[in-house]
């Protein structure tokens, strides 16, 4: 009976140990098969046995963790390579866009220069210079017009005065002639009267 009880006890011990190992194996597979590297390290630390001040880790768990880390590093290297390729492509795009921007800026400056300049007799003139020159010319013409208008009105006044003086002289001359004719007639009459009186 002791043997049977001992055999049962030993069987229960074996079954429980097998169950615990199966659970640990399932947990290690499930935990080492998913999650981040940090969580996998945490899991290994939690399922490891203690021996004095050391942790005893199963070789299979270490191998699985190493495989996971290498796979992660390979994936990261691939992602880094893709990112480098994308960055290189974007740098090329940025370089070409900067070149296009420079050409556009040059074209814009040329368009502004063409808009602000025009050609007269084959000479390029800036619109501001042309505008200043035209306003200066208009001002000079206005001053010349004012000067000649002043001279004209001054001369016109002199001419009017001369005409008025001429008319006055003409009137005086006409009056003098009339007076002279009257005197001449009077003298002729007196002469005729004197000759008739002698006769």
């Amino acid at each position: 009976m002791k043997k049977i009880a001992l055999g049962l006890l030993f069987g229960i011990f074996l079954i429980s140990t097998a169950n615990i190992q199966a659970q640990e194996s399932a947990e290690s597979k499930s935990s080492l098969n998913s999650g981040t590297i940090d969580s996998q390290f945490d899991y290994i630390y939690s399922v490891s046995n203690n021996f004095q001040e050391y942790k005893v880790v199963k070789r299979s768990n270490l191998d699985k963790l190493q495989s996971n880390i290498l796979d992660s590093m390979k994936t990261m290297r691939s992602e880094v390579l893709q990112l480098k390729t994308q960055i290189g492509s974007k740098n090329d795009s940025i370089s070409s866009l900067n070149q296009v921007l420079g050409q556009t800026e040059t074209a814009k400056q040329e368009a502004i220069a063409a808009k602000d300049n025009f050609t007269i007799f084959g000479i390029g003139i800036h619109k501001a210079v042309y505008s200043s020159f035209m306003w200066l010319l208009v001002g000079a013409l206005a001053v010349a017009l004012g000067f000649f208008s002043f001279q004209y009105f001054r001369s016109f006044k002199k001419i009017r005065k001369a005409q008025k003086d001429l008319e006055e002289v003409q009137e005086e001359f006409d009056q003098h002639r009339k007076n002279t004719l009257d005197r001449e007639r009077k003298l002729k009459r007196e002469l005729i009267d004197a000759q008739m009186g002698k006769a």
Side-chain angles (χ1 to χ4, degrees), residues 12-13 15 22-23 48 50-51 60 72 78 91 95 102 157 174 176 178:
I12 291 172
F13 176 74
I15 291 172
Q23 283 179 354
S48 297
N50 291 328
F51 176 73
S60 61
S72 296
S78 173
N91 285 340
S95 176
K157 283 181 183 177
D174 288 343
H176 180 66
K178 187 177 174 188

Side-chain angles (χ1 to χ4, degrees), residues 15-34:
I15 291 172
S16 66
T17 305
N19 281 339
I20 290 172
Q21 285 180 353
Q23 283 179 354
E24 285 179 359
S25 176
E27 284 177 5
S28 71
K29 285 182 183 175
S30 65
S31 179
L32 290 176
N33 288 331
S34 63

Side-chain angles (χ1 to χ4, degrees), residues 92-105:
D92 290 343
S93 297
I94 288 169
S95 176
S96 65
L97 286 174
N98 284 336
Q99 189 175 9
V100 169
L101 182 64
Q103 291 171 351
T104 305
E105 186 66 27

Side-chain angles (χ1 to χ4, degrees), residues 4-192:
I4 294 177
L6 217 65
L8 273 167
L9 195 57
F10 184 74
I12 291 172
F13 176 74
L14 283 178
I15 291 172
S16 66
T17 305
N19 281 339
I20 290 172
Q21 285 180 353
Q23 283 179 354
E24 285 179 359
S25 176
E27 284 177 5
S28 71
K29 285 182 183 175
S30 65
S31 179
L32 290 176
N33 288 331
S34 63
T36 64
I37 299 293
D38 286 340
S39 67
Q40 291 177 18
F41 269 112
D42 290 341
Y43 174 76
I44 284 179
Y45 184 79
S46 66
V47 296
S48 297
N49 296 324
N50 291 328
F51 176 73
Q52 295 177 358
E53 58 191 66
Y54 306 105
K55 279 283 191 181
V56 178
V57 180
K58 287 184 181 177
R59 178 66 185 241
S60 61
N61 287 348
L62 277 178
D63 291 342
K64 181 66 177 168
L65 182 62
Q66 181 183 14
S67 172
N68 289 346
I69 290 172
L70 291 175
D71 286 345
S72 296
M73 288 176 64
K74 188 175 179 183
T75 304
M76 285 184 208
R77 282 189 185 123
S78 173
E79 288 175 0
V80 167
L81 189 61
Q82 283 179 347
L83 288 173
K84 281 184 180 177
T85 305
Q86 287 177 356
I87 288 171
S89 171
K90 288 188 180 182
N91 285 340
D92 290 343
S93 297
I94 288 169
S95 176
S96 65
L97 286 174
N98 284 336
Q99 189 175 9
V100 169
L101 182 64
Q103 291 171 351
T104 305
E105 186 66 27
T106 304
K108 182 184 97 171
Q109 294 300 331
E110 288 174 358
I112 289 171
K115 181 180 166 238
D116 289 342
N117 293 309
F118 59 94
T119 307
I120 296 177
F121 306 119
I123 300 169
I125 298 176
H126 194 273
K127 284 187 179 178
V129 173
Y130 175 76
S131 177
S132 300
F133 175 74
M134 290 307 292
W135 281 111
L136 187 64
L137 184 63
V138 166
L141 290 174
V143 168
L145 178 65
F147 175 74
F148 288 120
S149 297
F150 174 73
Q151 290 293 344
Y152 171 76
F153 286 117
R154 198 166 123 198
S155 299
F156 184 71
K157 283 181 183 177
K158 286 181 181 178
I159 291 169
R160 290 291 294 269
K161 188 174 183 292
Q163 284 178 341
K164 190 175 177 185
D165 290 345
L166 183 63
E167 286 173 4
E168 288 175 1
V169 168
Q170 187 74 33
E171 283 178 16
E172 285 178 12
F173 179 72
D174 288 343
Q175 188 65 38
H176 180 66
R177 203 168 94 189
K178 187 177 174 188
N179 290 341
T180 304
L181 284 174
D182 285 344
R183 256 188 264 139
E184 216 177 288
R185 277 189 211 134
K186 193 175 177 187
L187 283 172
K188 277 185 183 180
R189 227 180 269 136
E190 285 176 3
L191 185 61
I192 291 173

